[in-house]
Amino acid sequence: MSAARRRVPQNLINLLLDTAIFCAFLIATAPRLTGIAIHEWLSIAFGAAIVTHLLLHWQWIVGVTRWFLSRAQWRTRVNYVLNTLFFIDMTIILFTGLMISEVALPLLGVRVAPDRTWRLLHGLASDAGVFILGLHVALHWQWIVNALKRHILKPLFGSRRAAPAMSAAKEARS
Amino acid sequence: MKILARIAAILAAALVVVGATVALSNAGALNGLLNAGRFEGVRAVAQRADAAPGEFARGEGRRQQFDRAFEQGRPGAGRPLNFEGNFERGRFGGFSLFGAFELARNLAIVLLIVAAAVVLTLIWRRLKRLRSRDAGA
């Protein structure tokens, strides 16, 4: 098998990582479900996943930043503005989360004086994050559907459909 | 090396956001946003003209006064402040069905937004097609 064949498609990597980030975000926004310790550690891991997500889409970020005012289509511009808002919102959520951390930071020996502003801002930014996430997913819906069909549904069910077709062709030949 | 530079750029951008947030918070610009309509009772205590002498210790800033008033005004005032104040014992203790509801609610919001966007896109495309057909006829 050649190296090119063995390589995992970039879209599949994106799809898997984005699905993991989506699930992690939903779980992290429900701290009653997991308890505070999992909520905090999952959110810190989530921050690392966001950095990875941004690295995987670096060419798009650089390209649109360069051509935002001149060449970019309106849909791309909307996407870019929304993604910027999402980045700002995520940064605020993570930062305020660290500022009110009860488990993760104290475990690392860092203690921050409790401040109600960070708590309120954390809640507000998290609520806003759910809505921005909805818009982010909506804007990429077509890509998600296509990637799911190509990398998940087709390999799973396409081969089953192809098998009867192949046997029918063999019968016809014989 | 390239990846490290990119990570540094992302972290620098995040740092700018954090810096702006801290600056806005220190300037008191976030108070209006965060407290709008949420703590009327608390604000009333903080701004009460007939507040008893010493109710707010001298030398306290407005922020500390607000925090103290928040403490006095919230249910169960006087108890030691736990995480989130009103999210007392059991709030983050472990698995609870209310947490599952929270997750389902957020998922429903995301799905609703996606469904609305997909429907709007379909309507927009159909309208565009009809317009182009009318223009052609």
Side-chain angles (χ1 to χ4, degrees), chain A residues 26 29-33 35-36 54-55 58-59 91 95 100 102 115-117 119-121 131 134 137-138 141, chain B residues 6 14 18 22 34-35 63 67 70-71 81 83 91-92 94-96 98-100 102-103 106-107 113 117-118:
Chain A
L26 284 181
T29 48
R32 285 186 184 91
L33 182 71
I36 189 71
L54 292 176
L55 287 175
W58 191 258
Q59 295 306 327
T91 308
F95 169 66
I100 59 172
E102 285 218 323
D115 191 323
R116 202 152 284 111
T117 305
R119 283 178 194 151
L120 295 175
L121 192 57
F131 285 95
V137 172
W141 187 246
Chain B
R6 288 173 183 178
V18 168
V22 172
L34 294 172
N35 303 324
R63 173 71 162 281
D67 283 353
F70 185 98
E71 273 301 293
L81 186 66
F83 183 80
R91 164 74 169 84
F92 290 114
F95 177 84
S96 86
F98 194 72
E102 219 172 33
L103 191 142
N106 289 341
L107 185 62
I113 293 170
V118 168

Side-chain angles (χ1 to χ4, degrees), chain A residues 105-118:
Chain A
L105 283 196
L107 199 74
L108 299 172
V110 182
R111 286 202 173 270
V112 187
D115 191 323
R116 202 152 284 111
T117 305
W118 300 135

Side-chain angles (χ1 to χ4, degrees), chain A residues 1-78:
Chain A
M1 202 181 265
S2 68
R5 265 191 165 185
R6 263 184 279 143
R7 242 177 85 181
V8 182
Q10 186 65 41
N11 273 351
L12 181 60
I13 295 172
N14 287 340
L15 182 69
L16 293 176
L17 181 76
D18 294 352
T19 308
I21 291 176
F22 179 77
C23 294
F25 182 82
L26 284 181
I27 294 169
T29 48
R32 285 186 184 91
L33 182 71
T34 55
I36 189 71
I38 292 176
H39 168 75
E40 286 187 13
W41 287 113
L42 183 67
S43 301
I44 289 169
F46 179 77
I50 289 176
V51 172
T52 312
H53 177 82
L54 292 176
L55 287 175
L56 285 174
H57 295 86
W58 191 258
Q59 295 306 327
W60 184 87
I61 294 167
V62 171
V64 180
T65 306
R66 195 173 290 164
W67 305 117
F68 184 78
L69 291 174
S70 54
R71 279 193 216 168
Q73 293 177 335
W74 70 268
R75 190 190 161 92
T76 312
R77 283 180 188 156
V78 169

